[in-house]
């Protein structure tokens, strides 16, 4: 990955609020053309990270850079080049979405954005009603429209689908993939794991201000655990499967074997072939199960 492909980065980024360590030496890159799912429970440091990247907060230590600019000292230029959606969308009460689009376009140095009508239609945005008259979901859609304005090279989105109906969520996911394919870097902060699983290329998992891991979704799936249940014609001897590489949580209940398998399944298949198998079911762990397993490993450490 060349430096030119790194759109935004954090280097040992740290933020303290008095004695509270909200972010602890975070090092992370966002790359052109990818959607990075930023995962963690509420209070993990996700919103703090996004606000540091936008230059809304001054780091206690470390640095944040966006398009080669220092996020704090060059924050005005960063704002002009970045689409940002805060977790709590607050808009001008008296303005309509159409008026807000014009205002934000001027702030970003755009004469106009010809894509606004189509984007507003796809997101089902009410363009001509004051924001104070809109529901939370409709304000959220308007916030997304403003964040996407002008095809920014970086999108920082904090819980973007909160309050959206399923059809709009689906359309928004399509828009994100289109933007990524056009070269935009997207950082999607969320605790909704199913959403991240649908749209992200990589995930970064944060807990208590510390980055636990970054990994591609493809790699996570390759190493995902499988829950296996096998029914035999007659019970195999106890302990038969306990020593197979990659197998844990082995439970043999009469003719039924239940276990967890991670990695290559060939050793298990060869062991099963020595017995008459009546039924076999294998369930691959989804992102949520993988996420919870990683948190459990961190607790044990």
């Amino acid at each position: 990955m060349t430096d030119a492909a790194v759109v935004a980065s954090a280097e040992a980024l740290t933020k303290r609020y008095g004695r509270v360590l909200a972010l602890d030496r975070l090092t992370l890159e966002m790359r052109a053309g990818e959607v990075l799912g930023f995962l963690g429970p509420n209070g993990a440091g996700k919103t703090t990270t996004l606000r540091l990247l936008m230059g809304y907060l001054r780091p206690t230590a470390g640095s944040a850079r966006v398009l080669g600019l220092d996020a704090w000292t060059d924050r005005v230029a960063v704002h002009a080049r970045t689409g940002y959606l805060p977790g709590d969308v607050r808009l001008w009460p008296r303005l309509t979405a159409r008026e807000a689009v014009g205002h934000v376009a001027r702030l970003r140095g755009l004469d106009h954005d010809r894509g606004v009508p189509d984007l507003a239609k796809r997101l089902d945005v009410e363009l001509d009603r004051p924001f104070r008259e809109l529901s939370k979901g409709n304000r959220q859609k308007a916030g997304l429209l403003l964040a996407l304005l002008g095809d920014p090279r970086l999108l920082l989105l904090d819980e973007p689908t909160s309050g959206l109906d399923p059809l709009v969520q689906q359309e928004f996911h399509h828009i994100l993939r289109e933007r990524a394919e056009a070269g935009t870097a997207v950082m999607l902060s969320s605790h909704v794991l199913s959403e991240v699983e649908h749209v992200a290329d990589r995930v970064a998992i944060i807990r208590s201000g510390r980055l636990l891991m970054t990994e591609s979704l493809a790699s996570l799936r390759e190493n995902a655990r499988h829950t296996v249940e096998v029914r035999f014609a007659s019970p195999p001897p106890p302990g038969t499967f306990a020593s197979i590489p990659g197998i844990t949580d082995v439970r043999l209940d009469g003719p039924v074997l239940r276990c967890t398998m991670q990695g290559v399944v060939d050793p298990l298949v060869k062991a099963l072939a020595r017995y008459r198998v009546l039924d076999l079911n294998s369930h691959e762990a989804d992102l949520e199960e993988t996420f919870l397993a990683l948190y459990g490993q961190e607790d044990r450490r």
Side-chain angles (χ1 to χ4, degrees), residues 5-230:
V6 177
V7 175
S9 63
E11 182 68 36
L13 191 60
T14 302
K15 182 61 182 178
R16 286 185 177 273
Y17 298 100
R19 295 184 178 181
V20 177
L21 182 60
L23 200 64
D24 185 9
R25 294 166 294 173
L26 175 73
T27 296
L28 187 65
E29 290 181 345
M30 280 137 279
R31 302 165 183 168
E34 76 164 357
V35 179
L36 175 68
F38 196 38
L39 291 170
N42 292 330
K46 304 188 303 295
T47 295
T48 296
T49 300
L50 267 62
R51 290 178 64 82
L52 285 163
L53 286 167
M54 283 297 295
Y56 291 135
L57 296 174
R58 185 173 189 170
T60 304
S63 64
R65 300 192 67 80
V66 174
L67 297 169
L69 304 169
D70 184 277
W72 174 251
T73 59
D74 301 317
R75 54 191 177 276
V76 174
V78 168
H79 295 171
R81 293 164 172 79
T82 305
Y84 173 62
L85 181 78
D88 182 15
V89 176
R90 297 184 181 183
L91 302 166
W92 303 272
R94 296 177 182 274
L95 292 188
T96 66
R98 193 182 303 277
E99 292 167 338
V101 163
H103 178 60
V104 172
R106 287 191 294 274
L107 289 175
R108 291 188 182 171
L110 304 171
D111 292 332
H112 59 276
D113 190 332
R114 294 177 181 173
V116 166
D118 178 64
L119 195 57
K121 183 177 181 180
R122 294 179 68 180
L123 292 173
D124 192 28
V125 176
E126 296 193 49
L127 287 172
D128 296 309
R129 286 181 61 192
F131 289 132
R132 64 186 175 188
E133 297 180 6
L134 299 182
S135 66
K136 181 184 184 301
N138 282 323
R139 291 196 301 272
Q140 187 78 4
K141 290 185 288 188
L144 288 171
L145 176 66
L146 295 175
L148 294 164
L149 190 67
D151 293 328
R153 288 182 57 195
L154 174 65
L155 289 170
L156 299 175
L157 308 173
D158 197 352
E159 304 287 352
T161 59
S162 174
L164 300 185
D165 66 66
L167 289 177
V168 175
Q169 285 187 34
Q170 186 178 53
E171 188 61 34
F172 170 66
H173 292 161
H174 290 158
I175 293 168
L176 281 192
R177 291 311 316 170
E178 290 168 6
R179 293 296 177 94
E181 288 168 8
T184 299
V186 181
M187 187 176 194
L188 191 156
S189 168
S190 181
H191 66 273
V192 182
L193 301 178
S194 58
E195 173 179 42
V196 173
E197 192 167 23
H198 283 131
V199 298
D201 302 297
R202 278 194 307 148
V203 294
I205 299 177
I206 188 172
R207 183 179 193 180
S208 301
R210 292 191 299 113
L211 185 68
L212 298 186
M213 62 164 289
T214 58
E215 193 65 83
S216 71
L217 274 183
S219 179
L220 279 178
R221 290 189 178 107
E222 286 175 6
N223 295 296
R225 296 183 177 188
H226 292 72
T227 301
V228 180
E229 181 175 302
V230 184

